[in-house]
Amino acid sequence: MKRVIKNGTIVTASDKYVADILIEDEKIKSISDQIDEPEAEIVDASGYYVMPGGIDPHTHMDMPFGGTVTADNFETGTIAAAYGGTTTIIDFCLSDKGKSLKSALEKWHSKSQDKAVIDYGFHLQISEINEDVLNEIPEIIEQEGVISFKVFMAYKGVFQADDEVLFKILVAAKEHGGLVMVHAENGDVINYLTTKALAEGKTDPIYHALTRPPEAEGEATGRAAKLTALADSQLYVVHVTCEEAVEQIAEARSKGFRVYGETCPQYLVLDQSYLEKANFEGGKYVWSPPLREKYNQEVLWNALKSGQLQAIGSDQCSFNFNGQKDLGRDDFTKIPNGGPFVEDRFSLMYSEGVHKGRISIHEFVDMVSTQAAKLFGLFPRKGTIAPGSDADMVLFDPAVERTISAKTHHMNVDYSALEGIKVIGEPVSVFSRGKYVIKDRQFVGRPGVGSYLKCNKFGLKAKDEAKATTLIKNS
Protein backbone atom coordinates (compact mmCIF):
# COMPACT_ATOMS: atom_id res chain seq x y z
CA MET A 1 0.00 0.00 0.00
CA LYS A 2 1.23 3.46 -0.89
CA ARG A 3 0.92 6.42 1.45
CA VAL A 4 1.81 10.06 0.96
CA ILE A 5 2.42 12.26 3.99
CA LYS A 6 1.62 15.83 2.98
CA ASN A 7 1.95 19.32 4.43
CA GLY A 8 4.14 18.38 7.39
CA THR A 9 7.43 19.96 8.43
CA ILE A 10 10.12 17.31 8.06
CA VAL A 11 12.79 17.50 10.76
CA THR A 12 15.98 15.43 10.82
CA ALA A 13 19.27 15.82 12.65
CA SER A 14 20.43 18.22 9.94
CA ASP A 15 17.42 19.58 8.01
CA LYS A 16 14.03 21.20 8.46
CA TYR A 17 11.72 21.75 5.49
CA VAL A 18 8.20 21.26 4.18
CA ALA A 19 7.78 18.46 1.65
CA ASP A 20 5.73 15.41 0.74
CA ILE A 21 6.89 11.88 1.56
CA LEU A 22 5.95 8.84 -0.52
CA ILE A 23 5.90 5.52 1.37
CA GLU A 24 5.96 2.27 -0.58
CA ASP A 25 6.92 -1.28 0.41
CA GLU A 26 7.82 -0.24 3.98
CA LYS A 27 10.39 2.28 2.74
CA ILE A 28 10.54 5.96 2.02
CA LYS A 29 10.32 5.94 -1.78
CA SER A 30 10.78 9.64 -2.44
CA ILE A 31 10.63 13.11 -0.94
CA SER A 32 9.53 16.07 -3.03
CA ASP A 33 7.82 19.43 -2.93
CA GLN A 34 4.73 17.89 -4.46
CA ILE A 35 3.90 14.20 -4.86
CA ASP A 36 0.78 13.15 -6.75
CA GLU A 37 -0.06 9.47 -6.40
CA PRO A 38 -3.76 8.91 -7.23
CA GLU A 39 -3.80 5.43 -5.67
CA ALA A 40 -2.03 6.40 -2.45
CA GLU A 41 -3.62 7.09 0.91
CA ILE A 42 -3.10 10.72 1.83
CA VAL A 43 -2.00 11.56 5.35
CA ASP A 44 -2.40 15.23 6.20
CA ALA A 45 0.38 16.32 8.54
CA SER A 46 -0.53 20.01 8.62
CA GLY A 47 0.69 21.64 11.82
CA TYR A 48 2.87 18.67 12.75
CA TYR A 49 6.54 17.91 12.70
CA VAL A 50 7.41 14.75 10.77
CA MET A 51 10.37 13.22 12.59
CA PRO A 52 12.31 9.96 12.39
CA GLY A 53 10.92 7.36 14.76
CA GLY A 54 12.70 7.37 18.09
CA ILE A 55 15.35 4.76 18.78
CA ASP A 56 15.65 3.78 22.41
CA PRO A 57 19.05 2.10 22.86
CA HIS A 58 18.47 1.04 26.46
CA THR A 59 15.50 -1.08 27.54
CA HIS A 60 14.94 -4.08 29.82
CA MET A 61 11.78 -5.94 28.85
CA ASP A 62 10.75 -9.15 30.62
CA MET A 63 13.98 -9.06 32.62
CA PRO A 64 14.53 -11.01 35.85
CA PHE A 65 16.05 -9.03 38.72
CA GLY A 66 16.18 -9.48 42.47
CA GLY A 67 13.79 -12.41 42.56
CA THR A 68 11.15 -10.78 40.38
CA VAL A 69 10.61 -9.85 36.71
CA THR A 70 9.98 -6.47 35.11
CA ALA A 71 6.33 -5.56 34.80
CA ASP A 72 6.56 -4.77 31.08
CA ASN A 73 7.26 -7.47 28.54
CA PHE A 74 7.92 -7.08 24.83
CA GLU A 75 4.23 -6.57 24.10
CA THR A 76 3.23 -4.02 26.73
CA GLY A 77 6.63 -2.34 26.63
CA THR A 78 6.72 -1.84 22.87
CA ILE A 79 3.12 -0.64 22.78
CA ALA A 80 4.04 2.01 25.36
CA ALA A 81 7.17 2.84 23.39
CA ALA A 82 5.11 3.35 20.24
CA TYR A 83 2.66 5.64 22.03
CA GLY A 84 5.71 7.66 23.02
CA GLY A 85 7.10 8.03 19.49
CA THR A 86 9.69 5.24 19.63
CA THR A 87 9.78 2.84 16.68
CA THR A 88 12.90 0.83 17.58
CA ILE A 89 14.23 -0.46 20.88
CA ILE A 90 17.48 -2.24 21.63
CA ASP A 91 17.01 -4.54 24.60
CA PHE A 92 19.56 -6.20 26.87
CA CYS A 93 19.99 -9.99 26.89
CA LEU A 94 21.42 -11.34 30.12
CA SER A 95 23.84 -14.24 29.82
CA ASP A 96 24.41 -16.99 32.36
CA LYS A 97 27.83 -18.06 33.56
CA GLY A 98 28.79 -21.44 32.20
CA LYS A 99 26.34 -21.19 29.29
CA SER A 100 26.87 -20.06 25.71
CA LEU A 101 26.18 -16.54 24.54
CA LYS A 102 23.93 -17.96 21.86
CA SER A 103 21.73 -19.57 24.52
CA ALA A 104 21.16 -16.13 26.04
CA LEU A 105 20.10 -14.75 22.67
CA GLU A 106 17.78 -17.71 22.13
CA LYS A 107 16.14 -16.97 25.47
CA TRP A 108 15.51 -13.34 24.49
CA HIS A 109 14.27 -14.31 21.04
CA SER A 110 11.77 -16.52 22.83
CA LYS A 111 10.72 -13.64 25.11
CA SER A 112 10.16 -11.29 22.17
CA GLN A 113 8.69 -13.68 19.58
CA ASP A 114 5.17 -12.73 18.49
CA LYS A 115 5.04 -9.90 21.02
CA ALA A 116 6.82 -6.76 19.75
CA VAL A 117 4.74 -4.17 17.90
CA ILE A 118 7.82 -2.24 16.69
CA ASP A 119 11.27 -3.30 15.50
CA TYR A 120 13.91 -4.32 18.01
CA GLY A 121 17.51 -5.40 18.36
CA PHE A 122 19.63 -6.81 21.16
CA HIS A 123 22.69 -5.99 23.22
CA LEU A 124 24.35 -8.91 25.00
CA GLN A 125 25.62 -8.78 28.58
CA ILE A 126 28.82 -10.69 29.34
CA SER A 127 29.90 -11.49 32.89
CA GLU A 128 32.70 -14.00 32.35
CA ILE A 129 35.45 -14.50 29.81
CA ASN A 130 36.98 -17.73 28.60
CA GLU A 131 38.00 -19.25 25.29
CA ASP A 132 34.47 -20.38 24.51
CA VAL A 133 33.07 -16.88 25.04
CA LEU A 134 35.87 -15.25 23.04
CA ASN A 135 35.35 -17.70 20.20
CA GLU A 136 31.61 -16.99 20.15
CA ILE A 137 31.88 -13.21 19.84
CA PRO A 138 32.77 -13.14 16.11
CA GLU A 139 29.89 -15.51 15.33
CA ILE A 140 27.45 -13.45 17.40
CA ILE A 141 28.45 -10.32 15.47
CA GLU A 142 28.47 -11.88 12.00
CA GLN A 143 25.49 -14.22 12.20
CA GLU A 144 23.24 -12.77 14.88
CA GLY A 145 23.86 -9.11 14.10
CA VAL A 146 24.49 -8.31 17.76
CA ILE A 147 27.42 -5.92 17.87
CA SER A 148 27.13 -4.42 21.36
CA PHE A 149 28.31 -6.18 24.52
CA LYS A 150 27.55 -4.94 28.02
CA VAL A 151 29.82 -5.32 31.02
CA PHE A 152 28.59 -4.52 34.52
CA MET A 153 31.20 -2.93 36.76
CA ALA A 154 28.73 -3.14 39.67
CA TYR A 155 26.23 -5.56 41.29
CA LYS A 156 28.94 -7.54 43.04
CA GLY A 157 28.20 -11.26 43.20
CA VAL A 158 25.42 -10.99 40.60
CA PHE A 159 26.44 -9.28 37.34
CA GLN A 160 29.77 -7.65 38.17
CA ALA A 161 32.74 -8.50 35.96
CA ASP A 162 36.36 -7.70 36.77
CA ASP A 163 38.80 -5.57 34.76
CA GLU A 164 40.28 -8.60 32.99
CA VAL A 165 36.87 -9.50 31.59
CA LEU A 166 36.28 -5.92 30.50
CA PHE A 167 39.70 -5.58 28.87
CA LYS A 168 39.47 -8.86 26.96
CA ILE A 169 36.03 -7.90 25.64
CA LEU A 170 37.38 -4.51 24.57
CA VAL A 171 40.16 -6.25 22.65
CA ALA A 172 37.68 -8.64 21.00
CA ALA A 173 35.36 -5.77 20.10
CA LYS A 174 38.22 -3.88 18.47
CA GLU A 175 39.16 -6.92 16.40
CA HIS A 176 35.67 -7.91 15.27
CA GLY A 177 33.73 -4.63 15.00
CA GLY A 178 31.83 -4.62 18.26
CA LEU A 179 30.97 -1.86 20.71
CA VAL A 180 31.48 -2.40 24.44
CA MET A 181 28.94 -0.92 26.84
CA VAL A 182 29.58 -0.44 30.54
CA HIS A 183 27.44 0.11 33.60
CA ALA A 184 30.09 2.24 35.27
CA GLU A 185 30.03 2.10 39.06
CA ASN A 186 32.71 0.72 41.40
CA GLY A 187 30.88 -2.36 42.65
CA ASP A 188 33.47 -3.24 45.30
CA VAL A 189 33.19 0.15 46.97
CA ILE A 190 29.39 0.07 46.75
CA ASN A 191 29.33 -3.39 48.32
CA TYR A 192 31.34 -2.12 51.28
CA LEU A 193 29.17 0.98 51.72
CA THR A 194 25.87 -0.89 51.50
CA THR A 195 27.00 -3.56 53.97
CA LYS A 196 28.10 -0.84 56.38
CA ALA A 197 24.83 1.10 56.03
CA LEU A 198 22.68 -1.94 56.74
CA ALA A 199 24.81 -2.84 59.77
CA GLU A 200 24.09 0.65 61.10
CA GLY A 201 20.35 0.21 60.60
CA LYS A 202 20.16 2.58 57.62
CA THR A 203 17.50 0.88 55.51
CA ASP A 204 15.46 3.69 53.88
CA PRO A 205 15.50 4.27 50.10
CA ILE A 206 17.70 7.38 50.39
CA TYR A 207 20.60 5.13 51.39
CA HIS A 208 20.47 3.58 47.95
CA ALA A 209 21.83 6.90 46.67
CA LEU A 210 24.16 7.59 49.59
CA THR A 211 25.87 4.20 49.24
CA ARG A 212 26.36 4.64 45.49
CA PRO A 213 28.15 8.04 45.47
CA PRO A 214 28.99 9.90 42.26
CA GLU A 215 32.69 9.34 42.93
CA ALA A 216 32.12 5.60 42.45
CA GLU A 217 30.58 6.29 39.05
CA GLY A 218 33.31 8.72 38.06
CA GLU A 219 36.08 6.31 39.05
CA ALA A 220 34.58 3.41 37.12
CA THR A 221 33.92 5.59 34.06
CA GLY A 222 37.51 6.80 34.05
CA ARG A 223 38.85 3.28 34.52
CA ALA A 224 36.76 1.94 31.64
CA ALA A 225 37.84 4.81 29.40
CA LYS A 226 41.52 4.20 30.13
CA LEU A 227 41.18 0.48 29.45
CA THR A 228 39.44 1.37 26.17
CA ALA A 229 42.37 3.58 25.20
CA LEU A 230 44.83 0.84 26.11
CA ALA A 231 42.94 -1.63 23.91
CA ASP A 232 42.46 0.97 21.14
CA SER A 233 38.80 -0.06 21.22
CA GLN A 234 35.42 1.65 21.51
CA LEU A 235 33.22 2.24 24.56
CA TYR A 236 29.65 3.36 25.22
CA VAL A 237 28.91 4.40 28.81
CA VAL A 238 25.26 3.83 29.64
CA HIS A 239 23.07 6.02 31.88
CA VAL A 240 25.59 8.73 32.81
CA THR A 241 24.28 10.66 35.83
CA CYS A 242 26.86 13.04 37.24
CA GLU A 243 29.62 15.58 36.79
CA GLU A 244 32.30 13.09 37.84
CA ALA A 245 31.43 10.72 34.99
CA VAL A 246 30.96 13.47 32.40
CA GLU A 247 34.43 14.81 33.17
CA GLN A 248 36.00 11.41 32.51
CA ILE A 249 34.19 11.00 29.19
CA ALA A 250 35.06 14.52 28.10
CA GLU A 251 38.72 13.97 28.94
CA ALA A 252 38.83 10.71 26.99
CA ARG A 253 37.17 12.28 23.97
CA SER A 254 39.51 15.27 24.08
CA LYS A 255 42.36 12.82 23.60
CA GLY A 256 40.69 11.26 20.58
CA PHE A 257 39.52 8.05 22.25
CA ARG A 258 36.38 6.38 20.91
CA VAL A 259 34.30 6.88 24.05
CA TYR A 260 30.61 7.73 23.88
CA GLY A 261 28.02 8.45 26.52
CA GLU A 262 24.30 8.14 27.10
CA THR A 263 22.11 9.75 29.70
CA CYS A 264 18.42 9.30 30.50
CA PRO A 265 15.49 11.70 30.94
CA GLN A 266 15.07 10.82 34.62
CA TYR A 267 18.51 12.22 35.43
CA LEU A 268 17.63 15.44 33.63
CA VAL A 269 14.39 16.17 35.50
CA LEU A 270 14.52 14.32 38.83
CA ASP A 271 17.03 14.53 41.67
CA GLN A 272 18.19 12.73 44.79
CA SER A 273 15.59 14.36 47.03
CA TYR A 274 12.88 12.12 45.54
CA LEU A 275 14.37 9.15 47.42
CA GLU A 276 13.63 10.97 50.68
CA LYS A 277 9.85 10.87 50.18
CA ALA A 278 8.01 9.61 53.25
CA ASN A 279 6.12 6.32 53.73
CA PHE A 280 8.49 4.45 51.44
CA GLU A 281 7.39 6.55 48.46
CA GLY A 282 11.09 7.07 47.84
CA GLY A 283 11.27 3.41 46.81
CA LYS A 284 9.63 4.36 43.51
CA TYR A 285 12.82 6.22 42.57
CA VAL A 286 15.36 3.47 43.17
CA TRP A 287 17.46 2.60 40.13
CA SER A 288 21.17 2.44 39.41
CA PRO A 289 23.10 4.60 39.16
CA PRO A 290 20.89 6.58 41.54
CA LEU A 291 19.45 10.04 41.15
CA ARG A 292 21.97 12.75 41.96
CA GLU A 293 21.96 16.20 43.54
CA LYS A 294 20.11 18.69 41.37
CA TYR A 295 23.14 20.62 40.07
CA ASN A 296 24.10 17.60 37.99
CA GLN A 297 21.09 18.18 35.74
CA GLU A 298 22.66 21.27 34.19
CA VAL A 299 25.96 19.43 33.83
CA LEU A 300 24.20 16.73 31.82
CA TRP A 301 22.32 19.21 29.63
CA ASN A 302 25.57 21.02 28.88
CA ALA A 303 27.27 17.71 28.04
CA LEU A 304 24.48 16.89 25.59
CA LYS A 305 24.64 20.33 24.03
CA SER A 306 28.44 20.18 23.64
CA GLY A 307 28.40 16.65 22.24
CA GLN A 308 30.24 14.98 25.13
CA LEU A 309 27.14 12.82 25.57
CA GLN A 310 25.51 11.60 22.39
CA ALA A 311 22.37 9.58 23.05
CA ILE A 312 19.28 9.35 25.22
CA GLY A 313 18.13 5.95 26.50
CA SER A 314 15.16 5.38 28.75
CA ASP A 315 16.71 2.57 30.82
CA GLN A 316 13.15 1.21 30.85
CA CYS A 317 13.05 -1.29 33.69
CA SER A 318 9.60 -1.17 35.23
CA PHE A 319 8.61 -2.72 38.54
CA ASN A 320 5.28 -2.21 40.26
CA PHE A 321 5.36 -0.24 43.50
CA ASN A 322 2.96 -2.70 45.13
CA GLY A 323 4.27 -6.24 45.18
CA GLN A 324 7.71 -5.52 43.68
CA LYS A 325 9.33 -2.28 44.85
CA ASP A 326 7.95 -2.86 48.34
CA LEU A 327 10.01 -6.04 48.64
CA GLY A 328 12.65 -3.67 49.98
CA ARG A 329 10.51 -1.79 52.48
CA ASP A 330 12.85 -2.79 55.32
CA ASP A 331 16.05 -3.09 53.28
CA PHE A 332 16.85 -0.70 50.42
CA THR A 333 19.15 -3.30 48.80
CA LYS A 334 16.10 -5.50 48.14
CA ILE A 335 14.21 -2.84 46.16
CA PRO A 336 14.21 -3.94 42.50
CA ASN A 337 16.31 -1.40 40.60
CA GLY A 338 14.58 0.33 37.72
CA GLY A 339 11.88 2.70 36.58
CA PRO A 340 9.25 3.14 33.80
CA PHE A 341 10.36 5.68 31.18
CA VAL A 342 10.08 4.25 27.66
CA GLU A 343 6.78 5.99 26.95
CA ASP A 344 7.83 9.50 27.97
CA ARG A 345 11.45 9.67 26.73
CA PHE A 346 10.61 11.35 23.41
CA SER A 347 8.12 13.97 24.67
CA LEU A 348 10.08 14.76 27.81
CA MET A 349 13.26 15.44 25.84
CA TYR A 350 11.37 17.68 23.42
CA SER A 351 9.60 19.58 26.19
CA GLU A 352 12.57 20.01 28.54
CA GLY A 353 15.11 20.36 25.74
CA VAL A 354 13.67 22.05 22.64
CA HIS A 355 10.68 23.87 24.15
CA LYS A 356 12.78 25.29 27.00
CA GLY A 357 15.60 26.31 24.66
CA ARG A 358 18.30 23.98 25.99
CA ILE A 359 18.87 22.21 22.67
CA SER A 360 17.85 22.75 19.06
CA ILE A 361 15.24 20.60 17.37
CA HIS A 362 17.98 19.05 15.22
CA GLU A 363 20.00 18.14 18.31
CA PHE A 364 16.85 16.60 19.75
CA VAL A 365 16.37 14.32 16.74
CA ASP A 366 20.05 13.42 16.85
CA MET A 367 19.88 12.45 20.53
CA VAL A 368 16.63 10.47 20.50
CA SER A 369 17.12 8.72 17.16
CA THR A 370 20.03 9.37 14.79
CA GLN A 371 23.01 8.89 17.09
CA ALA A 372 21.72 5.56 18.37
CA ALA A 373 21.18 4.39 14.78
CA LYS A 374 24.76 5.31 13.88
CA LEU A 375 26.43 3.91 16.98
CA PHE A 376 24.57 0.60 16.87
CA GLY A 377 24.82 -0.10 13.16
CA LEU A 378 21.29 0.75 12.03
CA PHE A 379 21.90 3.94 10.04
CA PRO A 380 20.64 4.90 7.44
CA ARG A 381 17.98 2.19 7.59
CA LYS A 382 16.83 3.79 10.82
CA GLY A 383 17.32 7.20 12.40
CA THR A 384 16.57 9.54 9.51
CA ILE A 385 13.99 10.50 6.90
CA ALA A 386 15.47 9.89 3.48
CA PRO A 387 14.78 7.85 0.33
CA GLY A 388 15.64 4.22 0.98
CA SER A 389 15.26 4.43 4.76
CA ASP A 390 12.60 2.48 6.61
CA ALA A 391 9.40 4.49 6.86
CA ASP A 392 9.62 4.87 10.63
CA MET A 393 8.14 8.27 11.38
CA VAL A 394 6.36 10.28 14.04
CA LEU A 395 3.78 12.97 13.40
CA PHE A 396 4.44 15.21 16.38
CA ASP A 397 2.26 18.02 17.66
CA PRO A 398 4.64 20.60 19.18
CA ALA A 399 1.88 22.70 20.74
CA VAL A 400 -0.24 20.32 22.82
CA GLU A 401 0.26 20.21 26.57
CA ARG A 402 -0.33 17.13 28.70
CA THR A 403 0.38 15.97 32.24
CA ILE A 404 2.24 12.69 32.74
CA SER A 405 0.34 10.27 34.95
CA ALA A 406 0.02 6.57 35.68
CA LYS A 407 -3.69 7.02 35.06
CA THR A 408 -3.11 7.67 31.37
CA HIS A 409 0.14 5.93 30.50
CA HIS A 410 0.24 2.61 28.66
CA MET A 411 3.06 0.88 30.52
CA ASN A 412 2.06 -2.15 32.59
CA VAL A 413 3.13 -0.59 35.87
CA ASP A 414 1.16 0.90 38.75
CA TYR A 415 2.97 4.22 39.13
CA SER A 416 4.79 6.91 37.18
CA ALA A 417 8.09 8.28 38.43
CA LEU A 418 7.20 11.42 36.44
CA GLU A 419 3.71 11.83 37.95
CA GLY A 420 2.38 15.37 37.55
CA ILE A 421 5.10 16.68 35.26
CA LYS A 422 3.68 18.79 32.41
CA VAL A 423 5.15 18.40 28.94
CA ILE A 424 4.71 20.36 25.73
CA GLY A 425 4.54 18.24 22.60
CA GLU A 426 3.07 14.81 21.90
CA PRO A 427 3.21 12.13 19.20
CA VAL A 428 -0.11 11.99 17.31
CA SER A 429 0.54 9.20 14.81
CA VAL A 430 3.45 6.78 14.56
CA PHE A 431 4.50 4.67 11.58
CA SER A 432 6.67 1.58 11.74
CA ARG A 433 7.96 0.58 8.30
CA GLY A 434 5.14 2.55 6.72
CA LYS A 435 2.30 1.05 8.74
CA TYR A 436 0.38 2.83 11.45
CA VAL A 437 1.15 1.67 14.96
CA ILE A 438 -0.44 4.70 16.57
CA LYS A 439 -3.13 6.56 14.61
CA ASP A 440 -4.59 9.73 16.05
CA ARG A 441 -3.32 8.76 19.50
CA GLN A 442 -4.88 5.27 19.35
CA PHE A 443 -3.02 1.97 19.12
CA VAL A 444 -3.80 0.22 15.84
CA GLY A 445 -0.78 -2.09 15.61
CA ARG A 446 -0.52 -5.78 16.26
CA PRO A 447 1.78 -7.82 18.51
CA GLY A 448 4.32 -9.80 16.53
CA VAL A 449 4.71 -7.43 13.56
CA GLY A 450 7.90 -5.94 14.98
CA SER A 451 10.99 -7.33 13.24
CA TYR A 452 14.27 -8.38 14.80
CA LEU A 453 17.08 -6.14 13.53
CA LYS A 454 20.57 -7.33 12.75
CA CYS A 455 23.03 -4.50 13.28
CA ASN A 456 26.05 -3.68 11.15
CA LYS A 457 29.50 -3.76 12.68
CA PHE A 458 30.62 -0.71 14.62
CA GLY A 459 31.98 2.02 12.36
CA LEU A 460 30.87 0.35 9.14
CA LYS A 461 30.07 3.15 6.71
CA ALA A 462 26.98 2.29 4.76
CA LYS A 463 27.49 2.90 1.05
CA ASP A 464 24.39 5.06 0.84
CA GLU A 465 25.01 7.12 3.98
CA ALA A 466 25.62 10.23 1.94
CA LYS A 467 22.29 9.68 0.21
CA ALA A 468 20.58 9.25 3.55
CA THR A 469 21.80 12.54 4.92
CA THR A 470 21.05 14.64 1.87
CA LEU A 471 17.59 15.62 0.71
CA ILE A 472 16.88 14.17 -2.69
CA LYS A 473 14.18 16.05 -4.52
CA ASN A 474 12.47 14.19 -7.32
CA SER A 475 11.15 16.09 -10.24
Side-chain angles (χ1 to χ4, degrees):
M1 180 182 183
K2 294 181 181 180
R3 284 193 172 96
V4 178
I5 299 178
K6 284 183 170 289
N7 307 318
T9 300
I10 299 169
V11 182
T12 69
S14 57
D15 298 301
K16 182 180 180 182
Y17 54 95
V18 176
D20 293 350
I21 303 171
L22 173 61
I23 301 170
E24 186 176 353
D25 297 328
E26 301 188 347
K27 302 283 186 180
I28 295 172
K29 181 72 172 179
S30 63
I31 302 173
S32 183
D33 291 333
Q34 183 72 32
I35 295 177
D36 295 312
E37 285 281 341
E39 298 179 358
E41 175 189 336
I42 304 301
V43 179
D44 185 8
S46 299
Y48 299 148
Y49 289 134
V50 184
M51 298 176 173
I55 299 175
D56 191 338
H58 192 154
T59 67
H60 301 280
M61 306 296 182
D62 199 0
M63 187 195 80
F65 184 90
T68 188
V69 180
T70 53
D72 280 292
N73 60 22
F74 277 87
E75 181 175 335
T76 63
T78 56
I79 289 173
Y83 267 107
T86 291
T87 55
T88 299
I89 64 168
I90 312 180
D91 203 74
F92 285 91
C93 306
L94 301 183
S95 63
D96 297 312
K97 290 184 178 181
K99 294 185 179 180
S100 69
L101 299 181
K102 192 169 184 179
S103 69
L105 287 174
E106 289 172 349
K107 185 185 297 184
W108 253 255
H109 278 302
S110 177
K111 288 173 181 284
S112 57
Q113 186 176 6
D114 299 327
K115 291 185 175 69
V117 306
I118 57 175
D119 292 351
Y120 60 96
F122 291 143
H123 311 294
L124 182 58
Q125 172 258 343
I126 301 179
S127 57
E128 65 176 345
I129 205 74
N130 53 47
E131 286 304 311
D132 290 337
V133 171
L134 288 173
N135 289 335
E136 261 199 287
I137 287 176
E139 178 184 347
I140 294 295
I141 292 173
E142 294 285 352
Q143 297 182 16
E144 300 290 336
V146 174
I147 62 105
S148 38
F149 301 92
K150 184 175 184 180
V151 177
F152 282 94
M153 302 174 77
Y155 298 113
K156 188 175 179 68
V158 182
F159 297 134
Q160 184 174 331
D162 61 27
D163 288 352
E164 181 181 3
V165 171
L166 174 56
F167 187 72
K168 286 183 176 180
I169 295 171
L170 284 163
V171 171
K174 161 66 176 176
E175 182 178 354
H176 300 293
L179 176 61
V180 178
M181 312 172 78
V182 288
H183 175 126
E185 291 184 286
N186 189 313
D188 294 328
V189 170
I190 291 167
N191 185 64
Y192 170 81
L193 293 175
T194 54
T195 301
K196 183 173 183 291
L198 291 176
E200 295 172 351
K202 298 172 178 176
T203 62
D204 292 337
I206 185 59
Y207 292 102
H208 174 75
L210 298 180
T211 58
R212 304 180 86 99
E215 292 83 359
E217 183 181 342
E219 185 279 330
T221 303
R223 179 159 37 102
K226 289 175 175 63
L227 291 175
T228 301
L230 185 60
D232 189 24
S233 190
Q234 42 273 346
L235 181 76
Y236 181 96
V237 185
V238 301
H239 49 42
V240 174
T241 75
C242 60
E243 183 175 31
E244 288 82 352
V246 168
E247 287 175 345
Q248 294 296 327
I249 293 170
E251 180 182 351
R253 291 177 60 80
S254 73
K255 295 177 179 178
F257 302 145
R258 296 186 298 280
V259 176
Y260 309 90
E262 159 203 287
T263 192
C264 311
Q266 50 269 39
Y267 300 116
L268 296 167
V269 299
L270 305 176
D271 62 70
Q272 183 175 298
S273 66
Y274 283 78
L275 284 95
E276 298 179 285
K277 286 177 176 283
N279 301 318
F280 194 67
E281 286 289 312
K284 294 178 178 179
Y285 304 90
V286 168
W287 45 77
S288 299
L291 291 171
R292 304 298 188 188
E293 292 186 36
K294 193 173 181 63
Y295 74 87
N296 287 283
Q297 293 175 0
E298 205 59 35
V299 173
L300 295 173
W301 280 112
N302 289 337
L304 288 167
K305 180 70 177 177
S306 65
Q308 302 304 334
L309 298 178
Q310 290 73 40
I312 300 293
S314 68
D315 197 4
Q316 166 74 13
C317 192
S318 56
F319 295 100
N320 286 310
F321 182 59
N322 296 300
Q324 291 188 301
K325 287 283 188 180
D326 58 7
L327 292 171
R329 188 173 288 274
D330 299 315
D331 179 349
F332 69 89
T333 67
K334 294 180 180 178
I335 302 172
N337 280 211
F341 298 105
V342 72
E343 186 168 352
D344 299 304
R345 181 187 72 110
F346 198 96
S347 290
L348 198 62
M349 286 303 299
Y350 179 86
S351 185
E352 292 293 319
V354 180
H355 179 71
K356 292 189 176 180
R358 291 183 169 113
I359 55 175
S360 73
I361 196 166
H362 303 297
E363 290 167 331
F364 162 78
V365 171
D366 205 34
M367 293 168 193
V368 300
S369 183
T370 309
Q371 278 294 327
K374 290 181 174 180
L375 286 166
F376 296 104
L378 294 172
F379 189 85
R381 179 180 175 185
K382 307 287 188 182
T384 193
I385 295 176
S389 297
D390 283 356
D392 294 354
M393 287 174 285
V394 178
L395 305 191
F396 188 81
D397 185 341
V400 67
E401 178 179 306
R402 69 182 178 92
T403 301
I404 297 173
S405 176
K407 295 178 181 178
T408 52
H409 74 201
H410 302 88
M411 293 174 285
N412 186 39
V413 63
D414 64 2
Y415 81 101
S416 171
L418 304 168
E419 188 74 36
I421 292 179
K422 292 183 178 180
V423 292
I424 303 294
E426 180 182 28
V428 175
S429 294
V430 178
F431 298 88
S432 174
R433 286 180 283 115
K435 298 181 179 67
Y436 278 108
V437 187
I438 305 297
K439 185 176 183 180
D440 297 327
R441 298 181 176 87
Q442 298 298 315
F443 175 66
V444 294
R446 181 168 54 84
V449 300
S451 292
Y452 171 69
L453 300 169
K454 291 186 176 182
C455 301
N456 292 320
K457 292 181 181 180
F458 176 83
L460 183 65
K461 187 175 178 64
K463 62 183 179 181
D464 56 351
E465 181 171 328
K467 179 182 72 174
T469 54
T470 303
L471 171 63
I472 297 178
K473 289 182 177 287
N474 296 336
S475 59

